[in-house]
Amino acid sequence: MNLELLKNNMENVRHNIESACEKAGRDSREIRVMAVTKTHPVEYVKAAVLSGLRLFGENRVREAYDKYIQVDKPVELHLIGHLQRNKAKTAVRIFECIQSIDRIETAEVLDRYCKELGRRMRILLEVNTSGEDSKHGFRKESDYFLTLEKILKLENLKPEGLMTIGPFTQDKSAVRKSFACLKKLLDKTQERFPGLDFSVLSMGMSGDYEIAIEEGSTLIRIGTALFGVRE
Ligand SMILES: *Cc1c(COP(=O)(O)O)cnc(C)c1O
């Protein structure tokens, strides 16, 4: 990865974040940028660290483990892909946050391994706001609330908010609708659990992060716009 190119890409992203914030009347300091390094070698991570990025996302536990064990700078690594239960033990050792919780069974397994390791895991609940079958996440609001209530009883997990992947379409209004739906669910959750610190809205990728910011995103997950197209 060419460091100059990466810095240039980063500047572009920052510029677009500023514009989207201005449009929406938001403060750009509310928005965290995650560098998504899936499929890329560790050199990309190191270049990103040198250009000031500290928050990283990976889709697969094994790939993340093999790659990030080689990174000696402290970074904050999140899992943004689906978690299989047989990978939960490794996941608890390497991630600071798991953004893809959509079943109580996975949450329970994580909670058990966290207890063994004497740590608490930050989590986000993934919601399928697009209705696309290829995507994970809660589809029914009732399911989501039932699961969240159960998760709140698990001592070693700390639910902090919601994550979604927007629909794969050129139709901007469909993308906006999907993000607005996640924001609404966050608001509802805050109303229902007023004591809970539940404020993270992880939405927006390279193709749709400006819309996500306009709709309230607090964390955008950027791969292609920083590192170029994946093979
Ligand atoms: C790959 C991926 C991203 C980054 O996608 P880009 O379009 O390359 O920015 C973000 N979130 C998730 C869940 C991903 O799988």
Side-chain angles (χ1 to χ4, degrees):
M1 184 79 216
N2 178 309
L3 198 58
E4 281 313 305
L5 179 62
L6 179 57
K7 282 184 175 161
N8 224 10
N9 290 347
M10 190 62 218
E11 253 171 51
N12 269 334
V13 171
R14 291 255 176 241
H15 172 83
N16 294 339
I17 293 173
E18 289 298 336
S19 307
C21 281
E22 209 161 293
K23 207 165 153 189
R26 296 187 62 194
D27 181 340
S28 60
R29 285 171 301 190
E30 292 170 14
I31 293 135
R32 302 186 74 197
V33 179
M34 164 184 284
V36 176
T37 50
K38 66 180 182 214
T39 77
H40 296 308
V42 68
E43 285 68 35
Y44 283 50
V45 180
K46 290 180 177 171
V49 169
L50 284 177
S51 38
L53 288 156
R54 289 293 177 272
L55 175 61
F56 291 87
E58 281 281 339
N59 279 55
R60 292 163 178 272
V61 176
R62 184 76 219 182
E63 181 185 342
Y65 179 84
D66 290 345
K67 196 180 299 178
Y68 281 79
I69 201 166
Q70 306 171 63
V71 177
D72 44 16
K73 295 276 188 315
V75 298
E76 181 180 337
L77 183 62
H78 292 200
L79 181 68
I80 57 174
H82 187 67
L83 177 63
Q84 290 170 308
R85 266 176 276 174
N86 61 358
K87 300 277 167 57
K89 192 171 184 173
T90 309
V92 163
R93 291 171 56 199
I94 61 175
F95 294 107
E96 285 197 31
C97 176
I98 300 208
Q99 296 203 357
S100 51
I101 298 297
D102 64 357
R103 310 167 56 121
I104 187 61
E105 291 83 2
T106 316
E108 284 168 351
V109 172
L110 267 185
D111 181 67
R112 223 177 307 133
Y113 286 127
C114 280
K115 189 172 180 187
E116 270 182 36
L117 235 76
R119 66 162 294 191
R120 202 156 181 235
M121 174 73 82
R122 293 157 50 196
I123 61 163
L124 303 182
L125 285 85
E126 181 172 356
V127 180
N128 183 335
T129 53
S130 67
E132 290 174 8
D133 285 334
S134 59
K135 295 194 167 82
H136 291 282
F138 293 99
R139 285 161 178 261
K140 292 216 324 245
E141 192 174 306
S142 53
D143 257 7
Y144 157 75
F145 275 116
L146 268 176
T147 305
L148 178 60
E149 271 172 29
K150 287 180 188 159
I151 286 177
L152 288 172
K153 297 196 178 98
L154 302 174
E155 287 178 0
N156 306 290
L157 301 186
K158 185 177 186 295
E160 295 189 329
L162 301 175
M163 185 270 260
T164 199
I165 302 175
F168 287 121
T169 169
Q170 297 300 315
D171 177 2
K172 288 192 176 177
S173 71
V175 174
R176 190 177 294 281
K177 204 170 136 196
S178 163
F179 293 151
C181 173
L182 197 71
K183 167 68 170 143
K184 202 167 159 196
L185 191 59
L186 188 87
D187 292 344
K188 263 193 193 172
T189 309
Q190 287 172 344
E191 267 169 42
R192 201 142 148 182
F193 304 97
L196 188 64
D197 181 9
F198 199 79
S199 55
V200 178
L201 215 46
S202 171
M203 58 188 196
M205 306 173 21
S206 294
D208 56 19
Y209 65 91
E210 287 115 319
I211 301 175
I213 289 169
E214 287 171 35
E215 295 303 324
S217 173
T218 67
L219 191 160
I220 57 175
R221 309 178 306 265
I222 309 293
T224 312
L226 289 175
F227 304 114
V229 179
R230 285 179 294 275
E231 279 172 24

